[in-house]
């Protein structure tokens, strides 16, 4: 059975994206980059919604990404990727990608039973919220940036019940970013 984790960046006031899907408020320092390298070395299957997938593919396949963060770029490009989308996406966008346009909840239940590797959702807050509502995420890694926004899209928007979590780890980065790791109870 595969474990499903979610990794997201949040503002202090709980937004995973600002107005008009802006995420420019998030920045990585050297230590956060090393953390990303460590996480990619676990060889998890990366899971995305369409918007996040397209944004990630547009960046991590560029020469700039390879210059800025070669180890992370290599890991992102090499990783197996699953994309949930109701819209068709061309196969040539990013290597090692497969697309699922079936029922999200049923598909994730099936994948958790059949995949040999663990899976990690990167960003994709809408998918995280839907899967959290059905208790399908085993672990949450939430990186809180030391910034607050006046408007944005909150994580867990639309949930119909409380999500009880147990903190399992914390980490503070030199720039003030805090990583909180939770498991579902």
């Amino acid at each position: 059975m595969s474990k499903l984790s979610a990794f997201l960046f949040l503002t202090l006031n709980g937004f995973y994206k600002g107005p008009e899907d802006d995420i420019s408020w998030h920045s990585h320092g050297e230590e956060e980059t090393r953390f990303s390298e460590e996480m990619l070395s676990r060889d998890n299957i990366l899971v995305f919604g369409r918007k996040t997938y397209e944004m990630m593919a547009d960046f991590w396949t560029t020469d700039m990404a390879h210059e800025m963060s070669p180890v992370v770029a290599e890991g992102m490009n090499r990783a197996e990727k699953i994309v949930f989308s109701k819209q068709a996406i061309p196969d040539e966008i990013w290597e090692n990608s497969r697309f699922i346009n079936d029922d999200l909840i049923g598909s994730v239940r099936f994948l958790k039973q059949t995949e040999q590797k663990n899976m990690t959702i990167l960003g994709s807050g809408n998918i995280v919220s839907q899967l959290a509502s059905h208790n399908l995420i085993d672990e949450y890694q939430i990186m809180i940036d030391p910034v607050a926004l006046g408007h944005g899209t909150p994580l867990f928007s639309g949930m119909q019940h409380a999500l009880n979590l147990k903190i399992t780890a914390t980490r503070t980065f030199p720039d003030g970013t805090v990583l909180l790791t939770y498991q579902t109870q």
Side-chain angles (χ1 to χ4, degrees), residues 14-175:
F15 299 135
Y16 69 92
K17 60 184 176 181
E20 299 180 29
D21 297 338
D22 177 42
I23 60 165
S24 64
W25 48 268
H26 175 73
S27 63
H28 261 123
E30 269 185 53
E31 194 170 331
E32 289 94 335
T33 298
R34 283 194 301 275
F35 173 76
S36 295
E37 292 169 359
E38 177 186 318
M39 292 296 101
L40 284 166
S41 73
R42 294 182 180 177
D43 198 31
N44 286 2
I45 298 169
L46 304 181
V47 178
F48 301 98
R50 180 189 52 82
K51 288 181 184 179
T52 303
Y53 172 82
E54 289 174 345
M55 180 191 65
M56 294 280 202
D58 285 347
F59 177 72
W60 289 112
T61 58
T62 66
D63 290 338
M64 181 171 46
H66 286 275
E67 290 170 19
M68 288 176 59
S69 189
V71 175
V72 175
E74 180 184 329
M76 292 292 288
N77 289 308
R78 180 188 65 242
E80 183 179 349
K81 295 167 258 312
I82 297 174
V83 185
F84 287 95
S85 175
K86 292 181 181 179
Q87 298 179 12
I89 300 175
D91 290 337
E92 291 80 37
I93 289 183
W94 204 0
E95 62 187 291
N96 303 319
S97 298
R98 62 181 154 147
F99 304 95
I100 299 175
N101 62 3
D102 291 334
D103 168 54
L104 172 67
I105 304 307
S107 294
V108 169
R109 282 188 176 123
F110 177 77
L111 289 167
K112 286 184 72 167
Q113 293 294 320
T114 59
E115 285 296 335
Q116 299 300 309
K117 292 182 181 181
N118 288 328
M119 299 176 288
T120 300
I121 304 164
L122 294 183
S124 307
N126 187 25
I127 285 178
V128 169
S129 182
Q130 291 177 63
L131 295 175
S133 291
H134 289 85
N135 296 315
L136 290 171
I137 300 174
D138 303 296
E139 180 180 82
Y140 297 84
Q141 290 184 310
I142 300 174
M143 190 171 273
I144 301 175
D145 284 62
V147 64
L149 301 176
H151 300 283
T153 305
L155 186 59
F156 304 121
S157 179
M159 282 193 45
Q160 302 299 312
H161 62 82
L163 182 63
N164 295 312
L165 303 171
K166 176 183 177 185
I167 195 153
T168 58
T170 62
R171 181 173 175 179
T172 303
F173 294 88
D175 67 355

